[in-house]
């Protein structure tokens, strides 16, 4: 049995060692590479060896970093808890009351095997540690919940209860984990509308690297993962540690390195003044902090997270339907006959879900009116949505609908009747954003009205099986009853989604927030995919999807083939380039395919058929991203967990400084097996291959070790062209 004072948890390829011998909060001795089955007799020596020495001009006793950093323990960095009671009780000294360990691992028996693992390090089920501590002097109880799941994904949550008879304001409560000194570089993501998930990396200096999201939603610039790693880490190499703050409101993610030698990663909710004031007996719980470690670079982190997400009970279990969204085909111009024709063409090319976007509800002929009035517009749809739904379903396709429930236009019947149902600062409306304001979901009347309207919409149109749930503005000056309201709004949005899905259990929902501004693991407990970006420009999408995939597996990321000329950038791309880019995700189309000729329609049909053929691999396999030395080349793929087959895409982003960009390595294959590599069958090869050099026609058969180490010189491609390779084991 695990010693409750010296705890060693092992799951996947990860070990977590906690020291709970003293009266103080436990400290993390080790979080990272699996240490193997360390004998119980060796744990004290391991724990003692990691206690820092006493040094001159410092505290007279060793200072150690606990699960909640406290100034009373000598921590001079960012506090784990910041709060007060009218200026008092501002510093804590928690003392351990109880620690419960639930570790069902059987070290001598067979454990649950994680797909793709070479050996058995998993254990059975998740391991959990629950720490309860109190500080009677300030009247607070702290509960820390630590879980290590079967694949090695660690989660941490803090709960704080006010035990005194006076209110206590929580200003910050941030789960924090130590990282060893070998991690010397940081990587995270930033971005903007239509340019989400832009990577940025730099050396990890002394001080704090603080990423704050103050958008009232996750944000186009959300860091997604904050990664610390050894020098020069990449997709396929290096030791890396990363955290993700699972919260769809204001949040903070922090990397801190102290001159005293400690390095930490952490994250939590970013609270406004007065937002969380605990009355007697009330409790505040932090968002979950997800933490992952890998010795195999960024792809190792992604593999853990993807496996974790695919094991969730709520993860989609049915094939992800090829989706046509009508937005870039018709915009607000809704005409039944035109949409029926579009549905006919969609069915012909192999579409499985047809989504009617913005413009179907009362007064919605443009984006300046109608939000909040969730009734079908009788002027545009005199017979309701039924005729279109029946036509779509008659083709065997699912029917989906766009909604933006959390927003309201001032030019709407709802706003005119209830201007008090809006998140505001006292005495004024926030600055308008896309001609809209935000409904205050923490207002019980507003919440009940919205739930009733959405329920009536779905009940009255049972053919609707999918909602594209949009959220098109930041929450600025978001006040509820005179106080900051983002926390309450976020929880109410979760509750709304939960109640709606409980009443309509077969409903699927997409998280769209003017593209990729609400992408996090808490919203994904309630939704079935995210819309990564409002741009369908294939060149932009290559990077956006590559880095969104750092956190999410392909089947959760909406990836559509847009028009030849991009709606958001004006770039013109071939169908082949757009199709290869959109292949690796929850595939779809956003394009007026009624207007294309028969030849292009036949090519589109072939690409849709190819996606369906590859879908079982794309949506279950291990994602690999290739560290190619030429920045003009981007390559990635998906490899089956048994490594029997794979598919890779190689894309030319620009011209190279050299005549050829060099061989492209194909990672992830079994080095001992032989593989046949060929261009994807059933779709045209890039036309540029015929212009810039000889076509690459023959199948190449080589061992996996050669393909991963030497690679292949591929045919020359023009910029913004892509080649798709299928790889199959020959034995």
């Amino acid at each position: 049995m695990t010693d409750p004072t010296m705890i060693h948890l092992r799951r996947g390829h990860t070990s977590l060692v906690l020291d709970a011998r003293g009266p103080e909060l436990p400290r993390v001795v080790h979080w990272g590479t699996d240490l193997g089955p360390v004998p119980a007799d060796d744990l004290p020596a391991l724990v003692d060896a990691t206690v820092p020495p006493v040094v001159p001009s410092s505290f007279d006793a060793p200072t150690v970093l606990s699960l909640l950093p406290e100034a009373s323990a000598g921590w001079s960095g960012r506090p784990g808890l910041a709060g007060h009671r009218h200026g008092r009780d501002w510093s804590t000294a928690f003392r351990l009351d109880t620690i419960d360990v639930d570790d069902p691992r059987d070290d001598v028996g067979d454990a649950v095997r994680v797909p793709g693992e070479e050996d058995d390090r998993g254990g059975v089920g998740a391991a959990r540690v629950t720490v309860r501590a109190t500080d009677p002097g300030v009247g607070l109880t702290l509960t820390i919940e630590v879980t290590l799941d079967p694949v090695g994904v660690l989660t941490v949550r803090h709960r704080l209860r006010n035990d005194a008879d006076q209110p206590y304001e929580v200003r910050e409560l941030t789960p924090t984990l130590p990282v060893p000194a070998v991690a010397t570089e940081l990587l995270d993501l930033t971005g903007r509308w239509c340019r989400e998930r832009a990577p940025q990396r730099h050396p990890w200096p002394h001080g704090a690297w603080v990423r704050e999201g103050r958008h009232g939603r996750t944000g186009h610039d959300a860091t997604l993962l904050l990664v610390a790693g050894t020098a020069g880490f990449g997709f396929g190499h290096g030791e890396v540690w990363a955290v993700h703050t699972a919260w769809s409101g204001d949040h903070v993610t922090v990397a801190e390195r102290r001159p005293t030698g400690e390095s930490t990663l952490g994250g939590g909710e970013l609270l406004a003044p007065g937002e969380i004031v605990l009355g007697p007996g009330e409790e505040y719980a932090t968002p979950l902090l997800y933490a992952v470690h890998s010795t195999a670079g960024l792809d190792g982190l992604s593999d853990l997270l993807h496996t974790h997400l695919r094991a969730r009970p709520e993860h989609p279990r049915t094939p992800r339907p090829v989706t046509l969204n009508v937005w870039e085909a018709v915009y607000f111009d809704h005409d039944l006959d035109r949409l029926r024709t579009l549905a006919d063409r969609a069915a012909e090319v192999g579409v499985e879900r047809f989504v009617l976007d913005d413009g179907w509800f009362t007064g919605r002929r443009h984006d300046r009116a109608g939000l909040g009035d969730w009734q079908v517009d009788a002027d545009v749809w005199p017979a309701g949505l039924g005729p279109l739904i029946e036509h779509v379903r008659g083709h065997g396709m699912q029917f989906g609908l766009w909604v933006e429930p959390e927003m309201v236009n001032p030019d709407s019947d709802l706003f005119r009747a209830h201007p008090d149902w809006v998140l505001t600062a006292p005495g004024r409306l926030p600055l308008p954003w896309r001609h809209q304001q935000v409904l205050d979901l923490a207002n019980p009347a507003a919440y009940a009205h919205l739930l009733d309207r959405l329920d009536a919409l779905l009940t009255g149109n049972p053919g609707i099986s999918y909602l594209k749930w949009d959220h098109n503005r930041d929450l600025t000056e978001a006040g509820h009853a005179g106080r900051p309201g983002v926390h309450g709004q976020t929880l109410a949005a979760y509750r709304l989604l939960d109640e709606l899905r409980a009443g309509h259990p077969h409903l699927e929902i997409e998280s769209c927030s003017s593209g990729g501004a609400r992408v996090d693991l808490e919203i994904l407990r309630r939704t079935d995919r995210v819309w990564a970006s409002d741009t369908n420009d294939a060149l932009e999408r290559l990077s956006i999807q590559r880095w969104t995939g750092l956190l999410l597996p392909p089947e959760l990321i909406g990836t559509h083939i847009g028009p030849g000329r991009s709606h958001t950038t004006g770039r013109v791309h071939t169908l082949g380039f757009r199709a290869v880019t959109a292949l690796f995700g929850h595939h779809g189309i956003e394009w007026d395919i009624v207007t294309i000729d028969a030849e292009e329609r036949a090519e589109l049909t072939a690409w849709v058929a190819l996606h369906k053929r590859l879908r079982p691999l794309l949506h279950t396999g291990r994602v690999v991203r290739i560290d190619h030395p030429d920045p003009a080349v981007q390559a990635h793929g998906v490899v089956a967990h048994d490594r029997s087959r794979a598919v890779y895409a190689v894309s030319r982003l620009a011209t190279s400084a050299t005549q050829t960009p060099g061989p492209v390595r194909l990672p992830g294959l079994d080095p001992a097996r032989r593989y046949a590599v060929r261009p994807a069958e059933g779709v045209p090869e890039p036309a540029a291959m015929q212009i810039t050099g000889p076509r690459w026609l023959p199948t190449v058969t080589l061992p996996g070790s050669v393909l991963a180490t030497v690679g292949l010189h591929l045919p020359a491609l023009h910029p913004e062209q892509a080649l798709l390779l299928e790889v199959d084991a020959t034995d």
Side-chain angles (χ1 to χ4, degrees):
M1 296 295 292
T2 302
D3 183 341
T5 65
M6 287 175 288
I7 302 161
H8 181 200
L9 306 179
R10 298 172 59 219
R11 294 295 187 274
H13 295 279
T14 301
S15 276
L16 176 71
V17 181
L18 299 176
D19 176 11
R21 295 179 297 176
E24 303 85 8
L25 290 169
R27 72 180 179 100
V28 179
V29 175
H30 171 79
W31 161 51
T33 302
D34 179 33
L35 301 178
V38 179
D41 292 345
D42 288 346
L43 279 175
L46 167 64
V47 170
D48 290 341
T50 61
V51 175
V54 176
V55 297
S57 300
S58 185
F59 294 102
D60 294 336
T63 59
V64 295
L65 177 66
S66 74
L67 281 168
L68 183 81
E70 295 178 286
S72 61
W75 178 248
S76 59
R78 287 175 60 92
L81 169 64
H84 66 99
R85 282 191 183 84
H86 305 295
R88 297 181 178 273
D89 297 337
W90 47 271
S91 184
T92 60
F94 284 105
R95 291 298 178 263
L96 183 63
D97 286 341
T98 62
I99 184 164
D100 298 322
V101 181
D102 179 13
D103 183 6
R105 186 188 68 233
D106 179 0
D107 281 330
V108 297
D110 289 333
V112 173
R113 295 184 64 83
V114 177
E117 282 196 345
E118 294 302 315
D119 55 2
D120 171 20
R121 305 184 186 195
V124 177
R128 296 178 178 84
V129 177
T130 304
V131 176
R132 295 180 181 84
T134 55
D135 183 344
V138 298
L140 296 173
T141 293
L142 176 71
T143 301
I144 302 174
E145 301 162 350
V146 180
T147 301
L148 187 63
D149 87 341
V151 300
V153 174
L154 183 70
T155 57
V156 184
R157 189 197 300 274
H158 294 339
R159 299 183 186 273
L160 187 70
R161 189 182 71 214
N162 178 19
D163 296 328
D165 57 5
Q166 296 295 317
Y168 181 86
E169 181 183 356
V170 182
R171 292 294 291 113
E172 181 173 351
L173 184 58
T174 306
T176 303
L177 292 166
V179 176
V182 294
T184 58
E185 292 186 14
L186 295 176
L187 178 143
D188 60 2
L189 307 175
T190 183
R192 58 173 176 82
W193 179 68
C194 286
R195 191 63 172 82
E196 295 90 338
R197 315 295 170 235
Q200 52 185 8
R201 65 186 296 170
H202 53 83
W204 192 352
H206 285 176
W209 176 254
V210 182
R211 294 296 312 278
E212 294 183 342
R214 297 179 180 270
H215 304 287
R217 53 179 173 169
T218 319
H220 292 98
D221 62 341
T223 182
L224 222 61
L225 283 183
L226 176 55
V227 181
T230 52
F233 69 84
F235 285 112
H237 63 277
E239 188 173 11
V240 284
W241 294 257
V243 295
H244 168 80
T245 305
W247 183 246
S248 309
D250 292 344
H251 61 281
V252 61
T253 311
V254 182
E256 186 168 18
R257 170 160 281 174
R258 303 295 304 153
T260 47
E262 303 95 342
S263 299
T264 58
L265 295 175
E269 186 177 6
L270 184 63
L271 297 170
E275 191 162 22
I276 299 296
V277 179
L278 300 178
E282 292 183 341
E283 182 180 272
Y284 167 72
T286 68
L288 280 176
L289 180 72
Y290 284 75
V292 283
H293 164 266
S294 168
T295 57
L298 297 172
D299 281 354
L301 297 181
S302 296
D303 194 33
L304 289 173
L305 289 161
H306 296 180
T307 305
H308 168 85
L309 290 168
R310 285 168 172 167
R312 303 170 304 154
E314 63 269 23
H315 193 75
R317 302 297 173 197
T318 56
R320 301 294 76 214
V322 175
T323 298
L324 184 137
N325 186 284
V326 308
W327 176 245
E328 292 191 30
V330 302
Y331 299 101
F332 291 108
D333 184 14
H334 286 199
D335 174 81
L336 179 57
D337 289 339
R338 183 180 180 188
L339 288 165
R340 278 174 168 160
T341 302
L342 184 57
D344 295 340
R345 297 297 170 271
E348 289 172 8
V349 301
V351 167
E352 297 161 309
R353 174 184 285 159
F354 184 93
V355 179
L356 183 65
D357 209 285
D358 196 356
W360 57 269
F361 48 96
T362 302
R364 192 65 168 178
R365 305 279 59 77
H366 44 67
D367 68 354
R368 298 181 297 280
L371 277 179
D373 298 338
W374 299 110
Q375 296 90 18
V376 177
D377 193 323
D379 292 337
V380 179
W381 299 93
L385 296 176
L388 180 60
I389 294 174
E390 292 171 9
H391 189 80
V392 167
R393 288 171 62 84
H395 280 298
M397 295 186 290
Q398 300 174 26
F399 183 85
L401 194 66
W402 180 95
V403 293
E404 193 176 2
E406 295 149 270
M407 303 298 157
V408 63
N409 288 126
D411 186 3
S412 68
D413 292 340
L414 180 65
F415 183 88
R416 284 184 283 270
H418 298 286
D420 55 318
W421 285 5
V422 172
L423 287 170
T424 65
R428 63 176 179 273
L429 284 174
L431 287 172
W433 182 312
R434 290 187 58 168
H435 317 287
Q436 62 193 46
Q437 297 291 341
V438 185
L439 281 176
D440 182 2
L441 299 188
N443 180 316
Y447 179 94
H449 171 82
L450 193 54
L451 178 60
D452 177 72
R453 291 306 315 140
L454 293 171
D455 179 69
L457 175 67
L458 295 171
T459 302
N461 296 277
I464 299 173
S465 59
Y466 175 85
L467 291 180
K468 179 180 179 181
W469 189 296
D470 217 336
H471 181 288
N472 271 311
R473 68 157 291 165
D474 282 1
L475 277 58
T476 53
E477 291 196 305
H480 166 77
R483 297 175 65 175
V486 170
H487 175 81
Q489 179 78 3
T490 306
L491 291 178
Y494 292 157
R495 190 169 70 254
L496 180 63
L497 286 162
D498 291 343
E499 287 200 55
L500 198 63
R501 296 196 68 160
H504 303 273
H506 301 296
L507 179 70
E508 291 195 6
I509 299 177
E510 174 184 68
S511 174
C512 176
S513 189
S514 47
R518 190 151 67 175
V519 177
D520 62 80
L521 294 187
E522 192 62 28
I523 198 67
L524 271 162
R525 292 178 62 194
R526 299 158 172 89
T527 54
D528 302 280
R529 79 171 202 169
V530 301
W531 186 230
S533 179
D534 275 349
T535 186
N536 284 311
D537 180 313
L539 187 63
E540 301 290 342
R541 272 287 186 142
L542 276 172
S543 177
I544 292 168
Q545 292 167 195
R546 186 179 185 87
W547 292 101
T548 304
L550 192 62
L551 180 68
L552 304 183
E555 65 269 23
L556 295 182
I557 305 171
T559 57
H560 290 187
I561 300 173
R565 180 178 294 277
S566 169
H567 164 82
T568 57
T569 66
R571 284 197 189 101
V572 176
H573 289 133
T574 64
L575 175 53
F577 186 62
R578 286 140 55 208
V580 171
T581 301
L583 188 80
F584 290 81
H586 186 167
H587 188 56
I589 302 166
E590 195 144 348
W591 180 18
D592 187 359
I593 58 175
V594 173
T595 62
I596 65 178
D597 61 28
E599 182 179 358
E600 198 166 26
R601 189 175 300 121
E603 183 180 349
L604 177 61
T605 303
W607 283 109
V608 171
L610 176 65
H611 173 82
K612 289 180 180 179
R613 177 167 64 81
L614 295 175
R615 181 165 55 189
L617 169 63
L618 294 170
H619 292 175
T620 63
R622 182 175 183 268
V623 172
V624 294
R625 285 155 294 205
I626 298 165
D627 293 299
H628 195 277
D630 190 333
V633 174
Q634 180 172 299
H636 61 99
V638 177
V639 182
H641 282 289
D642 65 2
R643 296 193 284 189
S644 62
R645 59 193 298 244
V647 59
Y648 298 90
V650 182
S651 300
R652 262 296 195 151
L653 310 183
T655 58
S656 297
T658 56
Q659 184 168 323
T660 61
V664 174
R665 296 174 174 179
L666 304 182
L669 303 172
D670 186 337
R673 300 176 75 175
R674 293 179 64 80
Y675 292 89
V677 185
R678 66 188 187 282
E681 296 178 350
V683 292
E685 295 174 357
M689 289 172 56
Q690 304 173 38
I691 298 171
T692 60
R695 292 164 57 108
W696 183 62
L697 289 176
T699 296
V700 174
T701 302
L702 287 168
S705 58
V706 174
L707 294 171
T709 304
V710 179
L712 296 173
H713 259 304
L714 300 177
L717 297 172
H718 280 322
E720 300 170 28
Q721 295 278 358
L723 177 64
L724 192 69
L725 302 176
E726 292 192 69
V727 179
D728 290 282
T730 59
D731 53 1

